[in-house]
Amino acid sequence: MSPLSKPRSATRILKRIIFLSLLLPCLPQPLPSPSPSPAPAPPSLPLSPFNERLDAAYIAFQAWKHVITEDPKNLTADWCGPFVCNYTGVFCAAAPDDPCILTVAGVDLNHGRLAGELTDHLGLLADLAVLHLNSNRFCGTLPPSMQHMRLLYELDVSNNLLSGAFPSFLTSLPSLKYLDLRFNDFDGQLPPAVFGRQLSLDALFANDNRFNVSLSSGGITNSTASVIVLANTALAGCLPPSIGDMADTLVELVLLNTSISSCIPPEIGKLKKLKVLDLSHNEFAGELPDTIGDMESLEVVNVGYNMLSGAVPESVCLLPNLKNLTLVGNYFCDEPVSCLHIPRRDDRMNCIPDWPHQRSHDQCVAFDHRPPVHCAADGCILPPPKRL
């Protein structure tokens, strides 16, 4: 080997070292070791289907099944054995006061066409929040033991054969918000407490029973409900000016065919959240208040088949959300052209000149010769003054 070969080898080695020192930062570096992940939570164990509350529910459902006389859809066919959460129409959940305990939270047998009674053992379902029994054939009345359902939020027993007085215990249920009793045969006085702020219902459907309701006490206007339907119910008294006190909550008011003989108080214009107003088939008289034009949320106004007269206020026809205006069967003598733009409008059988499908001339003349209507401060119609 020549003496010059050593320096050349050393030079090559030095160049490689320099090259590698430049290349190393560009090479992929080993990933840092991952931090230890937290241990997975142990899977939650299903709640046991055996406890005292479900045992009580088993007793309730077996007693109820015993008094169901007809079950054309076989909804209760699987109501056998202790596993009540597997019964048709029964829904279970963790108890609100103890999430480790399974309990019956809801019963839904709507449209079952079941016949029979509601057993007093239903009071054993103390955690029930929803009870839906509409469109069946249950008779009798609501058992008083239901007063133990302190968590009951929705009660729908509409379209059955239930009868008797209004179940007074309902007004003491602290959680009840939705009450539907329509299309039954309940009778007697609908107590003012139904509309009270202690019960604080959000929706009340009591129509098509044989209830009586007094408007003179002003009880109905104490309600915090957003929906009140009392159609085909005997209402005694006049629609009070305090109707405006429901402005914060009321969205739907249906009082059709309730035998009210009254003026429509101008304070009704305070109900700015109201979307549906149905006062049809009554004996409302006087003029339609122009304050209704302040009810900017209104979508449906039905004042058909009353004794209203005068001109239809243009403010009503200019309501921005109005889709349906029913004026049929009154004695209105004028209607603004702006009403023609309402999608659904029925103004037949009035006294509007040169308007189609109006009352006869003789009918309108006879009405004009009646004494004018005067409204009292309480909303009632004042009797005509006696002639001397």
Side-chain angles (χ1 to χ4, degrees):
M1 182 179 293
S2 66
L4 296 177
S5 63
K6 288 185 179 179
R8 287 180 181 173
S9 298
T11 303
R12 282 193 194 128
I13 292 171
L14 181 61
K15 286 182 178 180
R16 285 183 182 175
I17 292 173
I18 295 172
F19 174 76
L20 288 175
S21 66
L22 294 173
L23 182 63
L24 276 174
C26 302
L27 293 175
Q29 301 299 312
L31 296 174
S33 58
S35 58
S37 58
S44 57
L45 298 176
L47 299 179
S48 171
F50 300 103
N51 59 59
E52 291 183 358
R53 302 188 195 194
L54 294 180
D55 291 345
Y58 171 76
I59 295 172
F61 286 119
Q62 294 307 309
W64 193 8
K65 183 177 181 179
H66 184 71
V67 295
I68 291 177
T69 56
E70 293 184 36
D71 183 4
K73 296 185 178 181
N74 290 321
L75 296 181
T76 63
D78 61 0
W79 285 18
C80 300
F83 302 106
V84 297
C85 297
N86 293 334
Y87 289 4
T88 296
V90 177
F91 302 91
C92 293
D97 61 327
D98 188 343
C100 297
I101 293 180
L102 196 64
T103 190
V104 175
V107 174
D108 188 344
L109 297 172
N110 285 349
H111 304 282
R113 297 180 59 212
L114 295 164
E117 298 179 355
L118 301 179
T119 175
D120 202 51
H121 290 81
L122 286 178
L124 294 173
L125 304 176
D127 294 324
L128 203 65
V130 175
L131 180 56
H132 288 174
L133 301 177
N134 81 57
S135 302
N136 285 286
R137 293 172 291 161
F138 290 116
C139 59
T141 190
L142 299 182
S145 65
M146 289 177 63
Q147 64 185 305
H148 300 300
M149 297 180 178
R150 311 302 289 176
L151 302 179
L152 191 61
Y153 187 86
E154 292 186 9
L155 175 60
D156 182 357
V157 292
S158 60
N159 197 21
N160 277 279
L161 303 173
L162 298 170
S163 60
F166 177 85
S168 58
F169 67 83
L170 292 177
T171 62
S172 65
L173 295 181
S175 303
L176 191 62
K177 295 298 179 186
Y178 181 98
L179 178 59
D180 194 344
L181 304 175
R182 56 188 157 175
F183 295 105
N184 279 286
D185 197 32
F186 291 111
D187 58 19
Q189 188 74 18
L190 198 60
V194 174
F195 307 103
R197 295 180 181 269
Q198 181 177 356
L199 180 56
S200 192
L201 287 175
D202 182 59
L204 171 63
F205 299 88
N207 53 291
D208 294 274
N209 284 278
R210 293 187 294 124
F211 286 129
N212 300 308
V213 179
S214 174
L215 295 175
S216 58
S217 64
I220 186 173
T221 60
N222 291 325
S223 176
T224 60
S226 63
V227 178
I228 296 178
V229 181
L230 297 175
N232 303 312
T233 300
L235 301 189
C238 309
L239 196 63
S242 57
I243 189 77
D245 295 345
M246 307 169 75
D248 291 339
T249 56
L250 195 60
V251 175
E252 182 173 341
L253 179 63
V254 179
L255 302 178
L256 76 91
N257 193 30
T258 52
S259 304
I260 300 179
S261 178
S262 172
C263 296
I264 301 177
E267 288 82 1
I268 199 169
K270 296 179 181 179
L271 303 177
K272 298 186 185 300
K273 293 183 179 180
L274 198 71
K275 294 183 178 181
V276 177
L277 175 64
D278 191 340
L279 304 177
S280 61
H281 294 272
N282 286 294
E283 296 181 26
F284 284 102
E287 296 187 356
L288 197 63
D290 60 2
T291 55
I292 292 180
D294 298 331
M295 301 163 69
E296 55 194 23
S297 299
L298 270 178
E299 298 177 5
V300 176
V301 175
N302 189 346
V303 292
Y305 299 102
N306 280 286
M307 303 290 288
L308 297 167
S309 58
V312 177
E314 186 165 24
S315 61
V316 175
C317 299
L318 294 177
L319 284 166
N321 297 301
L322 192 61
K323 299 177 178 63
N324 189 326
L325 176 62
T326 301
L327 307 169
V328 61
N330 283 285
Y331 292 88
F332 291 112
C333 62
D334 191 20
E335 182 178 1
V337 177
S338 54
C339 292
L340 299 177
H341 302 291
I342 299 171
R344 295 186 63 183
R345 188 186 90 262
D346 188 353
D347 53 15
R348 295 170 298 126
M349 295 178 60
N350 280 281
C351 295
I352 306 171
D354 303 320
W355 221 252
H357 311 295
Q358 298 298 293
R359 294 182 183 274
S360 69
H361 176 74
D362 291 343
Q363 285 179 303
C364 294
V365 169
F367 181 83
D368 285 341
H369 283 82
R370 295 184 182 185
V373 173
H374 296 283
C375 302
D378 60 358
C380 293
I381 301 170
L382 291 171
K386 295 181 179 180
R387 294 182 179 180
L388 298 176

